[in-house]
Amino acid sequence: MTHNAVIVGGNRIPFTKAGGRYADASNHDLLTAALDGLVARFGLSGQRLGEVAGGAVLKHPRDFNLTREAVLSSALSPDTPACDLQQACGTSLETTVYIANKIALGQIESGIACGVDSASDAPITVSDGLKKALLKASRARSVGERAKAFAAIRPRHLAPLAPGVAEPRTGLSMGEHQALTTEAWGVTREEQDEIAAASHHNLAAAWDDGFFDDLVTPYLGVARDTILRPDTSVEKLARLKPAFGGPEGTMTAGNSTALSDGAASVFLASESYARENKLPMLARVVDAEVAAVDHPGGADLLLGPVAAAGRLLERQGLTLDDFALIEIHEAFASTVAATLKAWNDEDFCRARGLSGPIGTFDHSKLNVAGSSLAAGHPFAATGARIVPTLAKLLHAKGPGSRGLISMCAAGGQGIVAIVEAV
Amino acid sequence: MSAIEKIFTSAPGRAVASKAGLKDPPQLRRGRTWPQGAIVLADLNGSTVGRETLVLLGRSFDSPIIDSEDGDAPGYGAKIGAIVVDATTLTTIADLEKMRAVLRPAVRALEGSGRVVILARPAAGDWEQRSVTRALDGINRTVAKELRKGATSTLLYVDHDATPSDLLSTMGFALQGRSAFVDGQTWQVSAADTNVNQLHDTPLDGRTIVVTGAARGIGAAIARSLAQAGAHILAIDIPPAGEALAEVANEIGGTALQLDITADDAGTKIADHIAFRGLKLYGIVHNAGITRDKMLVNTDKARWDSVLDVNLAAQMRINEVLLARRGDGGIEDGGRIIGVASTSGLAGNKGQTNYAASKAGVAGLVQAMAPDLADRAITVNAVAPGFIETEMTGKIPFVQREIFRRSNSLSQGGQPIDVAETIGYFLDPASQGVNGQVVRVCGQNLVGA
Ligand SMILES: NC(=O)c1ccc[n+]([C@@H]2O[C@H](COP(=O)([O-])OP(=O)(O)OC[C@H]3O[C@@H](n4cnc5c(N)ncnc54)[C@H](O)[C@@H]3O)[C@@H](O)[C@H]2O)c1
């Protein structure tokens, strides 16, 4: 009853800095564009797929049915159902797992996993005071009553509320949390800047090679990721001022992800569907695991995925040596550095319930086509950026080549997945 | 819109312009539509191929009115839709008078967007006969210039062995609205064992066709038009044009391939894609093209190379791969290769040495390839557009643009669909007898061959 869920391909739009070229586009627009590029690439116009699962982290109330609405705006058949799913920065790896699982169970034969975020189109909400007054006014039965309700509005009620970026339970921003981890794990500035520089250089090389020609479709005249700085260097990055961790902090705007706009999608299918429809099969989704840590209790907020990776490898009976390529989402360069240290830390791993350290691996296998520091990180879109990229890289290496994806997510969570080239 | 353009297109501006002799250009009949009035057939000297072809097309036809040798020309009494002059047995200079005698009343009576179609034999025989063949070309070109209200004239050289089946698609094209912007042109139809007995509205049903440069302009119109004729389109354009390309592909249920045709492996990428998706490649339309205009004295190597590579060398490399990969994503036997030349190439155009070289080169390429591929029943033809209304030509300054678009027999620019229709005609399986031809879609532009 289980079927192989294969990654057919993917499509994303170039990612941009928030407030940049997509400033006037909504999540709906960005997601529709990502879907339409995918539809065109695989000739799916007018076709009904099993399901589309997508999500956004920063979401307007009007977008309560974001993914379904984007499907309706896209060239897919309107008979294609969709659902919204959200797990912070892990969203579109989670949607990938969701679609892959449904395919594996035989519930659907094909589907799209996707995600989108626009820090430019962040939902601005009204204050509680204003909300109460407005509700009261709408319930009022007379003009007088309504006037009285409005009279209760105070100037302070009118200030718009930006969406929270801080962890609700600690009040600390993600960067501030990561700064604690950076400090605790002794991650140096040099380590971080090297990771950042490599990310830019790897992404730039992939673009120059035409690697993204069948993974990205331009949008609103943007043909390449705009955060990418091909000519950056460790020396240039070293000149930046600290952004997190106080005046002595080592985390800068250069080694932290920028607020970004973008959308990405993955086309998944059962092996038989792919064969029947003569679709490419880049890699199959092998397995996935989610984990969480007690960050209000003091655990490292962004090291949630360590336990997930350990448990997943143990379940599959694999070690890091079994992987041709590894993708660790670069929320911050220091997240990657701390994750690598944590993987090799016996005490930390045992405390996470693992039987020992996960281990080390040759870093030339890490994020070889660049990652979020260079590409940008529209939260919910990043998983669906990584999955097709990795699948294509693995496919080029030959059948059986394995890849591991590790992504941290807000709330002390993490999601890890294994894909294997077919 | 520039200030002068605004004035010109405003109501008072139009009134002044029309007094100055700049009339609103005629609205052309387009699409798979036949002339409204009667089709008149003049089969001179008992020729039969024209008659039989009209019968095959299911068109009824009337007898011609012949001008008397002196006195007033007799009239038709009503507008006629077209006159088909079958001159395939005309061999002497004295015979040419028969052309005058049937055309004089007919040209007078021809409706707007009506058609003159002259059938003749390719040059052969003695000196006089060959001279007569060429004389017909002179008649065709001149009649085309004298016709008004969007009526056009076409001369078809019909091979001796060509059957009405072979001629069917060409005659249909010439009479229908699809040839709206093809005027004063001459091309040849050869014998090809075409086994058809009617025109189809969707002749490309189930066939896969590659269109390069399909993101916008003429290429997008080609993709749409061929899809409407039933084809599955693999739409290609450079990666930066991907957004518009995806839109076109999705609109027509096709597939988008972001690819620079000048890449070394472009042909392989196309064939791999076709083979992998389990498709058979019927044809390719090499529409992608660029201009890098400068007077020759200012043309450097970079401008020269890029234009020649995109417009000519790239399609030659791609053709080689697609022809070699027979049965494996390459062009199937019986397939079609279409080039897009330009009147600038055929006639020469100031400031476009590089472009003219590349586009005349396209014409040369199809003429060279055609006979060599005949044994595989693959036809190779080209269109040579004149002034076509696109984003590209929309950037020409208004006054210059107005001059360009009016300097042809139809007093207007062509539409991208006009180029697409001619390409669709070449691609029609029924057009098997049309090979190695370069047909201008230019409204009989005043410049050019
Ligand atoms: N517009 C006219 O009046 C006119 C007249 C004569 C001939 N033509 C020819 O018709 C064709 C289409 O013209 P148009 O007016 O639509 O031009 P256009 O510039 O609007 O479109 C050309 C398309 O080709 C694509 N292209 C360019 N280089 C490419 C490459 N290396 N690989 C893949 N795609 C590439 C472009 O991105 C563009 O989408 C051209 O070959 C042109 O030379 C046009």
Side-chain angles (χ1 to χ4, degrees):
Chain A
M1 129 118 166
T2 63
H3 305 256
N4 270 337
V6 296
I7 297 154
V8 172
N11 183 62
R12 65 178 176 94
I13 55 174
F15 293 171
T16 67
K17 219 179 198 114
R21 303 273 286 279
Y22 302 162
D24 295 330
S26 64
N27 272 339
H28 174 98
D29 300 336
L30 302 181
L31 185 56
T32 305
L35 291 175
D36 272 342
L38 189 74
V39 168
R41 179 157 305 134
F42 295 102
L44 303 173
S45 176
Q47 290 194 27
R48 178 179 66 82
L49 299 185
E51 189 171 0
V52 178
V57 172
L58 303 176
K59 204 164 151 184
H60 282 275
R62 65 157 192 256
D63 284 339
F64 66 95
N65 217 359
L66 174 66
T67 311
R68 169 63 182 152
E69 291 301 327
V71 166
L72 283 172
S73 293
S74 79
L76 285 169
S77 159
D79 295 347
T80 302
C83 76
D84 275 29
L85 206 69
Q86 203 256 64
Q87 194 197 42
C89 303
T91 295
S92 58
L93 186 52
E94 192 64 272
T95 57
T96 300
V97 172
Y98 169 90
I99 293 289
N101 285 349
K102 282 203 171 191
I103 290 170
L105 287 171
Q107 295 170 347
I108 55 176
E109 283 194 299
S110 65
I112 295 174
C114 52
V116 56
D117 254 297
S118 166
S120 303
D121 182 36
I124 304 292
T125 47
V126 299
S127 68
D128 273 352
L130 181 56
K131 189 166 69 191
K132 281 188 186 133
L134 289 174
L135 285 173
K136 206 165 184 182
S138 76
R139 282 194 305 263
R141 268 186 242 118
S142 70
V143 177
E145 254 182 60
R146 195 168 303 144
K148 222 169 106 194
F150 282 129
I153 299 172
R154 298 282 167 267
R156 68 187 149 84
H157 290 151
L158 296 178
L161 300 180
V165 285
E167 282 295 322
R169 286 166 192 278
T170 61
L172 296 181
S173 74
M174 205 164 267
E176 287 161 345
H177 264 289
Q178 185 57 38
L180 299 176
T181 299
T182 307
E183 173 95 41
W185 288 86
V187 179
T188 66
R189 172 76 184 258
E190 291 68 39
E191 275 175 89
Q192 296 175 55
D193 287 347
E194 270 163 27
I195 289 170
S199 185
H200 283 276
H201 295 155
N202 287 342
L203 185 73
W207 270 112
D208 290 345
D209 278 359
F211 178 79
F212 292 112
D213 284 358
D214 59 357
L215 291 174
V216 179
T217 304
Y219 182 55
L220 299 184
V222 181
R224 274 196 183 199
D225 301 314
T226 66
I227 291 164
L228 173 62
R229 292 285 167 272
D231 57 354
T232 195
S233 63
V234 176
E235 295 71 41
K236 281 184 188 165
L237 288 163
R239 291 201 283 271
L240 298 174
K241 285 205 282 290
F244 302 104
E248 299 306 307
T250 56
M251 293 170 60
T252 69
N255 58 40
S256 308
T257 47
L259 280 178
S260 325
D261 298 347
S265 61
V266 190
F267 184 20
L268 295 139
S270 69
E271 210 174 305
S272 56
Y273 180 95
R275 274 187 216 292
E276 230 163 80
N277 291 281
K278 303 270 180 12
L279 291 164
M281 291 186 276
L282 299 178
R284 72 188 177 90
V285 179
V286 177
D287 200 355
E289 175 87 12
V290 287
V293 295
D294 180 17
H295 70 285
D300 296 289
L301 180 75
L302 298 184
L303 293 186
V306 175
R311 295 206 290 260
L312 181 59
L313 293 183
E314 284 179 13
R315 176 162 74 234
Q316 288 289 330
L318 297 171
T319 70
L320 291 179
D321 292 339
D322 296 314
F323 290 89
L325 293 171
I326 292 176
E327 289 280 335
I328 301 177
H329 158 53
E330 298 169 337
F332 301 91
S334 118
T335 316
V336 177
T339 300
L340 294 174
K341 290 180 201 286
W343 278 6
N344 204 30
D345 187 308
E346 168 129 29
D347 293 344
F348 182 86
C349 288
R350 285 195 188 281
R352 302 266 74 81
L354 306 176
S355 60
I358 294 169
T360 57
F361 64 95
D362 172 2
H363 290 185
S364 67
K365 297 177 182 174
L366 179 65
N367 298 349
V368 299
S371 185
S372 306
L373 287 169
H377 174 39
F379 311 118
T382 294
R385 170 184 67 75
I386 296 174
V387 171
T389 299
L390 179 62
K392 181 176 170 177
L393 290 165
L394 291 170
H395 187 70
K397 288 193 176 290
S401 309
R402 283 191 204 89
L404 184 71
I405 305 171
S406 168
M407 296 188 72
C408 53
Q413 308 204 85
I415 175 164
V416 173
I418 297 172
V419 296
E420 182 182 305
V422 285
Chain B
M1 244 190 230
S2 66
I4 177 157
E5 184 169 4
K6 273 193 198 121
I7 293 168
F8 191 84
T9 50
S10 69
R14 295 183 86 86
V16 173
S18 90
K19 283 239 167 62
L22 283 176
K23 289 207 210 82
D24 273 353
Q27 184 100 39
L28 305 182
R29 168 168 61 89
R30 288 193 161 88
R32 291 183 172 272
T33 56
W34 298 99
Q36 284 191 325
I39 295 176
V40 172
L41 172 71
D43 35 10
L44 309 180
N45 294 0
S47 314
T48 57
V49 67
R51 170 181 299 267
E52 288 167 16
T53 307
L54 282 173
V55 169
L56 215 51
L57 282 169
R59 309 316 300 174
S60 58
F61 43 85
D62 294 352
S63 303
I65 286 180
I66 315 284
D67 193 27
S68 54
E69 288 187 14
D70 44 33
D72 281 347
Y76 274 90
K79 290 279 176 206
I80 62 167
I83 176 154
V84 175
V85 187
D86 187 341
T88 50
T89 49
L90 225 64
T91 52
T92 65
I93 294 168
D95 273 350
L96 289 172
E97 150 61 14
K98 295 180 181 167
M99 294 294 297
R100 188 203 64 78
V102 294
L103 285 174
R104 187 180 179 200
V107 166
R108 267 200 188 151
L110 204 60
E111 68 186 20
S113 288
R115 294 285 187 268
V116 173
V117 179
I118 303 167
L119 307 178
R121 291 299 183 204
D126 61 19
W127 291 351
E128 181 175 8
Q129 203 173 329
R130 285 164 180 267
S131 162
V132 165
T133 304
R134 188 65 193 256
L136 291 171
D137 186 57
I139 292 172
N140 176 52
R141 287 164 188 267
T142 307
V143 167
K145 289 189 179 179
E146 291 187 6
L147 288 173
R148 294 182 308 169
K149 299 196 183 115
T152 66
S153 182
T154 299
L155 169 60
L156 300 170
Y157 287 133
V158 186
D159 210 57
H160 274 95
D161 305 323
T163 63
S165 262
D166 294 327
L167 183 56
L168 173 102
S169 94
T170 301
M171 180 97 105
F173 172 73
L175 288 170
Q176 286 191 334
R178 290 180 286 149
S179 59
F181 205 61
V182 177
D183 194 11
Q185 300 309 300
T186 304
W187 70 98
Q188 182 162 338
V189 179
S190 307
D193 290 328
T194 318
N195 197 12
V196 290
N197 48 21
Q198 66 184 86
L199 280 185
H200 288 280
D201 283 351
T202 55
L204 302 176
D205 265 337
R207 296 177 190 270
T208 299
I209 296 170
V210 170
V211 180
T212 69
R216 63 177 208 185
I218 296 174
I222 295 169
R224 288 192 184 100
S225 164
L226 300 183
Q228 211 159 40
H232 172 79
I233 302 298
L234 176 57
I236 292 179
D237 213 298
I238 48 173
E243 182 181 5
L245 183 71
E247 228 167 273
V248 171
N250 286 343
E251 179 193 324
I252 62 177
T255 307
L257 178 61
Q258 302 185 148
L259 176 71
D260 185 331
I261 56 161
T262 62
D264 289 337
D265 60 350
T268 307
K269 282 238 167 82
I270 295 170
D272 285 351
H273 182 100
I274 298 285
F276 192 88
R277 296 302 307 261
L279 301 167
K280 286 190 188 317
L281 184 59
Y282 173 67
I284 182 164
V285 181
H286 295 292
N287 162 79
I290 57 168
T291 51
R292 296 285 181 272
D293 297 355
K294 282 272 183 216
M295 294 300 226
L296 180 62
V297 292
N298 297 320
T299 299
D300 58 20
K301 183 168 170 2
R303 275 176 193 275
W304 190 267
D305 288 351
S306 60
V307 169
L308 275 138
D309 201 33
V310 174
N311 294 5
L312 182 58
Q315 65 182 270
M316 205 170 79
R317 291 194 296 265
I318 290 171
N319 285 344
E320 275 163 15
V321 175
L322 295 182
L323 288 167
R325 294 219 8 203
R326 202 170 175 168
D328 176 30
I331 293 180
E332 299 288 309
D333 288 4
R336 300 279 184 267
I337 296 173
I338 314 288
V340 176
S342 164
T343 49
S344 296
L346 307 186
N349 196 18
K350 211 158 138 182
Q352 290 197 312
T353 337
N354 49 1
Y355 185 74
S358 71
K359 293 298 186 178
V362 167
L365 184 63
V366 305
Q367 281 159 346
M369 290 176 71
D372 291 352
L373 296 177
D375 61 334
R376 289 178 59 182
I378 295 172
T379 68
V380 194
N381 296 286
V383 289
F387 184 93
I388 305 296
E389 306 280 0
T390 63
E391 243 174 272
M392 198 170 86
T393 50
K395 288 192 185 118
I396 300 172
F398 174 69
V399 174
Q400 224 176 326
R401 180 162 26 113
E402 199 55 30
I403 293 169
F404 283 156
R405 63 155 66 109
R406 283 178 182 270
S407 20
N408 61 57
S409 300
L410 300 172
S411 316
Q412 58 191 296
Q415 297 298 324
I417 183 68
D418 298 327
V419 180
E421 292 279 28
T422 307
I423 288 172
Y425 147 68
F426 287 149
L427 282 162
D428 191 328
S431 300
Q432 194 63 41
V434 184
N435 196 12
Q437 304 302 302
V438 179
V439 173
R440 296 204 301 164
V441 184
C442 64
Q444 199 179 27
N445 206 313
L446 294 182
V447 296

